[in-house]
Amino acid sequence: MAQSPPSAPVVIHHTPEPAPTTLPPRHSTHGIVVASYVLMAAALLLVMWRGLLPGLLCVCLGFLLTRALTRWFAQGLSGLQRRGHPSVSGLRVAQIAAAGLVMLLPLALLAVGLTHSRGYLVTAPQQYQELMNYMARTVLELRLKLPVDMASHLPEGAAEIQRIIASYLGAKAGALAMAGRAWLAGVLFAYVGLLIGALAAVRPAVLARGPLAQQLRLRISLFGEAFRQIVAAQFWIAAFNTLLTALFLLFVLPLWGLELPYTPVLITFTFVAGLVPIVGNLICNVVITIVGLSVSPLAAAACLGFLILIHKAEYVINAKVVGRRTQMGVWELLSVMFVAEAVFGPAGLVAAPLFYAYLKKELVAARLV
């Protein structure tokens, strides 16, 4: 009987099991989100504590301006290419041009301002002497009109006025030096912030990001969206204030027989300065009141009363316009503005609409409100 050939050995191939993928537990993802919130809140508090609000606002402004100019320049370059001009890397060129314009424009404006102010600096001593003589004449007229007991407390002439001013400036020299340093530091922070915003707007795109970086990017995106809405609302606020100021300067004051010089310049300045929340309106008030004082005390009083009314109405106007664009109630924003001004001063009044708009967006994104 024939034997069957031996069967080939059976080889069993063991397919290796895939390594279990270790997914991060739920609490770690939640921890990353919480860490991003804590870092964002700490950064905003640091900005308010160290007086870096001008820098933060200019970071956002430089970013938005650079992105807007980049789109505008890119559209122009694409139009040139469609007409048969040689092709260039349009987007990169547009980014470089936009960032360069945003970074160099403040320096150019400063150079032009210093060039045109040279004449004012040369004639400053003469203007100072004229101001002293004008003040001396005003004081002498008051001495003649006031009772003797009250008139004795007024200076007798320009020399005594100069002595009083010098004594006051000497007593306040430390405070004035601190204010000057704070102002220069604010300008420096603002320009550095503008540079940072412009450079951030043209940075190369990064595809791979860690989980914390992704969450921080989301936080910053929501903050930038809130800033864009606040800027758009502030544009309409500045336009409304400018309209009221123009009506007052062009129609109300002439009805009383009072006309201010440089009215077109004052109206333009009101709009430009009004783009800065709250503080810009205060600067306009000071400038217009001083110009009114050069006409007559009655004109100065009328300007001051009107502008105080506008300043108080600024709370309601700001809350109404900003609240409509950011889905916030007027009472919410007014409450936040009053509390922020009490805690942080004028800087809190400027930051309150922006910070609260950002907080509201975070709450809406988290479906908490």
Side-chain angles (χ1 to χ4, degrees):
M1 183 173 181
Q3 297 180 352
S4 60
S7 60
V10 179
V11 180
I12 301 176
H13 297 280
H14 294 281
T15 304
E17 297 181 359
T21 57
T22 58
L23 295 175
R26 183 177 181 84
H27 64 83
S28 66
T29 304
H30 179 70
I32 291 172
V33 175
V34 172
S36 68
Y37 285 132
V38 171
L39 289 175
M40 192 68 181
L44 295 180
L45 288 177
L46 181 64
V47 164
M48 299 303 298
W49 176 45
R50 301 303 300 173
L52 301 177
L53 184 62
L56 175 63
L57 297 179
C58 286
V59 167
C60 300
L61 184 62
F63 186 89
L64 293 180
L65 281 178
T66 304
R67 285 292 176 90
L69 290 174
T70 298
R71 288 193 296 269
W72 188 65
F73 290 155
Q75 291 175 359
L77 289 175
S78 62
L80 291 177
Q81 293 176 7
R82 284 196 299 268
R83 295 188 184 96
H85 290 74
S87 176
V88 292
S89 55
L91 180 59
R92 194 58 188 167
V93 171
Q95 288 178 340
I96 294 174
L101 182 61
V102 170
M103 291 188 290
L104 296 179
L105 185 59
L107 298 179
L109 293 177
L110 179 61
V112 171
L114 292 177
T115 302
H116 285 77
S117 62
R118 187 180 304 170
Y120 297 105
L121 297 177
V122 172
T123 59
Q126 181 182 356
Q127 295 176 358
Y128 172 77
Q129 187 61 41
E130 292 177 356
L131 178 61
M132 289 295 102
N133 293 332
Y134 176 78
M135 294 175 64
R137 290 195 302 269
T138 305
V139 170
L140 291 176
E141 291 178 1
L142 288 176
R143 287 176 62 90
L144 295 176
K145 296 178 180 179
L146 291 176
V148 178
D149 294 337
M150 298 179 61
S152 61
H153 296 286
L154 296 177
E156 297 181 354
E160 191 170 354
I161 292 176
Q162 291 179 351
R163 181 182 60 79
I164 293 173
I165 293 175
S167 300
Y168 177 79
L169 293 178
K172 300 295 183 180
L176 291 174
M178 291 294 294
R181 285 197 294 269
W183 184 82
L184 289 176
V187 172
L188 179 61
F189 289 152
Y191 184 67
V192 172
L194 200 67
L195 296 181
I196 294 173
L199 294 176
V202 298
R203 74 191 187 286
V206 180
L207 298 180
R209 289 188 179 89
L212 181 59
Q214 293 177 4
Q215 291 297 324
L216 287 176
R217 177 183 173 84
L218 178 59
R219 306 279 86 78
I220 295 173
S221 299
L222 290 175
F223 187 85
E225 183 180 354
F227 179 82
R228 181 180 56 80
Q229 292 178 343
I230 294 296
V231 168
Q234 195 63 37
F235 176 86
W236 293 109
I237 293 172
F240 181 75
N241 288 342
T242 304
L243 176 62
L244 293 182
T245 304
L247 292 176
F248 178 75
L249 296 179
L250 296 176
F251 298 101
V252 177
L253 282 182
L255 289 178
W256 296 345
L258 302 172
E259 293 187 10
L260 299 188
Y262 310 109
T263 297
V265 177
L266 291 176
I267 295 174
T268 305
F269 178 73
T270 299
F271 177 76
V272 175
L275 295 175
V276 180
I278 309 298
V279 177
N281 193 26
L282 292 177
I283 295 174
C284 293
N285 294 356
V286 173
V287 172
I288 294 177
T289 302
I290 292 176
V291 174
L293 186 60
S294 68
V295 175
S296 69
L298 179 59
C303 292
L304 185 60
F306 170 78
L307 295 172
I308 287 176
L309 180 63
I310 290 297
H311 173 60
K312 296 306 179 183
E314 179 82 2
Y315 283 99
V316 180
I317 297 170
N318 198 356
K320 187 68 176 178
V321 177
V322 174
R324 186 177 68 250
R325 288 184 171 270
T326 56
Q327 289 78 45
M328 293 185 295
V330 176
W331 67 271
E332 297 178 71
L333 198 51
L334 280 176
S335 303
V336 172
M337 290 168 66
F338 281 125
V339 172
E341 185 181 18
V343 176
F344 297 107
L349 195 62
V350 175
L354 175 60
F355 285 12
Y356 187 69
Y358 165 66
L359 176 62
K360 197 69 177 288
K361 286 186 176 299
E362 289 284 7
L363 294 175
V364 171
R367 297 182 180 179
L368 295 177
V369 294

